Amino acid sequence: MESELKDLNSKPPNGSSSRDDRPLLKSESLASADSIAEMEKKFAAYVRRDIYGTMGRGELPPKEKLLLGFALITLLPIRVLLAVTVLLFYYLICRVCTLFYAPNREDEQEDYAHMSGWRRAVIVSCGRALSRVMLFIFGFYWITESNSASQEDKQQPEESDRPGVIISNHVSYLDILYHMSSSFPSFVAKRSVARLPLVGLISKCLGCVYVQRESKSSDFKGVSAIVTDRIREAHQNDSAPLMMLFPEGTTTNGEFLLPFKTGGFLAKAPVLPVILRYHYQRFSPAWDSISGVRHVIFLLCQFVNFIEVIRLPVYHPSQQEMDDPKLYANNVRRLMASEGNLTLSDIGLAEKRTYHAALNGNNSLPSVLHQKDE
């Protein structure tokens, strides 16, 4: 999963303290209500609208403080203990299933996704079940799932209805847990994920495609080509793991849909669009303008969390869409926005970093508000 929020919030500028009481908007020109309103309008896809406020540092009402304090000393330690137990248990399962089995090492990747027999069956079935258990521990006791019939009137080609890739909007790291529990697909992850304790082996069992700087070696095809090959294989081979992509490239507050990157559409294979929506009353599970540690703590302190899943029919591209991946991506994006009641936005990761920098007091108002003005 993308980790741009970690980079944005890991180190404050000029060696200043990282205490929570530092001002969100340091510059005086940013202090006025009109300036803040203008900035939030421009970067609306990343603005938190729950009672915890921007970056999770808003002033809480007395009732919420009481609930949070109670959950911190009761619910939080229980959930952390249970989550770590589940993670360790699944790691041990993956370790046993991969004993004396050499991983696939092609194109500078390393994974166990193409193993077969009882090993693969155990890894997939246990992975799906324990991912759902993990969501339950996090407070997602019920998951509302529905199927959209938006393409019933569209004539489908007489070919396999198996998609090559799942296309989903990206709201939180929780998206990964849901998709693991639903279909156990392969994701795109940073190369450093493969070296993480516990998680590294699990990611290899998922068959993650690891992103790194392009190698200059003649036999390295690049991540995009690897993903394209994996998508084609998944479409043609029922035993191959599906790919799972978040074409927005970063997370939003769940109310918007950012422009899609075309990498998942280059294979010309059918895609399965899935829309995730997180409903909330107090704390939003969206990972937008809040640090990872703060988000996990507040999420685990919320007694109940809600997720709604809208699964669209497999989208088969037309010949025109196969010839133009950008058109293919845009058409799928518009369909998902319509079916999920999401607002289309033309901003991206660069604007997200600008917004975060402004919240941390690193930019002046003009440089924040006048980028990419139409």
Side-chain angles (χ1 to χ4, degrees), residues 90-346:
Y90 187 53
Y91 169 80
L92 291 175
I93 292 174
C94 292
R95 177 57 67 190
V96 170
C97 290
T98 55
L99 281 176
F100 312 113
Y101 192 95
N104 173 49
R105 291 189 176 95
E106 293 182 0
D107 305 314
E108 299 190 11
Q109 300 290 321
E110 181 178 344
D111 67 79
Y112 294 96
H114 292 81
M115 68 170 57
S116 58
W118 68 269
R119 298 171 186 262
R120 182 64 183 169
V122 170
I123 286 176
V124 172
S125 59
C126 291
R128 294 183 62 176
L130 293 177
S131 295
R132 183 62 187 94
V133 170
M134 189 73 83
L135 285 171
F136 189 90
I137 293 171
F138 285 0
F140 293 92
Y141 307 123
W142 305 276
I143 296 179
T144 303
E145 296 181 298
S146 62
N147 296 312
S148 170
S150 62
Q151 284 190 291
E152 284 185 350
D153 298 330
K154 181 177 178 179
Q155 185 175 1
Q156 299 290 354
E158 295 181 359
E159 57 177 311
S160 170
D161 201 47
R162 176 178 167 85
V165 58
I166 301 170
I167 297 295
S168 176
N169 62 319
H170 202 9
V171 185
S172 173
Y173 51 83
L174 298 163
D175 304 347
I176 296 175
L177 279 177
Y178 168 74
H179 287 296
M180 285 180 64
S181 70
S182 174
S183 52
F184 204 77
S186 299
F187 297 86
V188 175
K190 285 191 174 183
R191 170 66 66 180
S192 57
V193 172
R195 298 188 293 269
L196 291 176
L198 306 181
V199 177
L201 178 61
I202 295 174
S203 71
K204 293 175 184 177
C205 290
L206 275 165
C208 287
V209 176
Y210 299 111
V211 178
Q212 63 180 12
R213 292 182 178 179
E214 292 295 325
S215 172
K216 295 182 180 179
S217 60
S218 58
D219 60 342
F220 184 65
K221 297 183 294 184
V223 172
S224 179
I226 295 172
V227 170
T228 299
D229 288 347
R230 292 279 294 272
I231 292 173
R232 287 174 179 158
E233 181 186 8
H235 173 52
Q236 298 168 359
N237 183 359
D238 289 346
S239 63
L242 282 173
M243 283 298 300
M244 165 73 237
L245 295 177
F246 300 110
E248 295 171 284
T250 188
T251 54
T252 69
N253 59 14
E255 301 173 9
F256 292 80
L257 201 59
L258 306 181
F260 279 7
K261 301 181 186 300
T262 59
F265 304 89
L266 296 174
K268 304 179 182 180
V271 302
L272 175 62
V274 176
I275 304 162
L276 304 180
R277 297 187 64 99
Y278 294 87
H279 303 286
Y280 63 92
Q281 295 180 339
R282 298 163 49 225
F283 176 75
S284 169
W287 192 27
D288 37 38
S289 62
I290 183 172
S291 69
V293 173
R294 183 183 295 270
H295 188 279
V296 171
I297 291 174
F298 288 163
L299 178 78
L300 295 181
C301 287
Q302 187 155 256
F303 296 93
V304 182
N305 290 295
F306 303 93
I307 181 174
E308 176 189 5
V309 181
I310 303 174
R311 193 178 296 268
L312 277 61
V314 175
Y315 188 105
H316 293 264
S318 65
Q319 185 60 51
Q320 186 179 9
E321 289 171 327
M322 287 191 284
D323 294 338
D324 186 352
K326 188 173 182 180
L327 174 66
Y328 187 6
N330 287 338
N331 287 346
V332 173
R333 177 177 176 243
R334 284 196 292 267
L335 175 65
M336 292 177 64
S338 174
E339 294 297 318
N341 195 25
L342 303 173
T343 302
L344 294 175
S345 173
D346 63 350

Side-chain angles (χ1 to χ4, degrees), residues 59-78:
E59 180 63 29
L60 299 178
K63 180 182 177 181
E64 184 62 27
K65 290 181 179 178
L66 182 63
L67 289 173
L68 180 60
F70 178 76
L72 280 170
I73 60 177
T74 56
L75 196 59
L76 178 63
I78 294 174

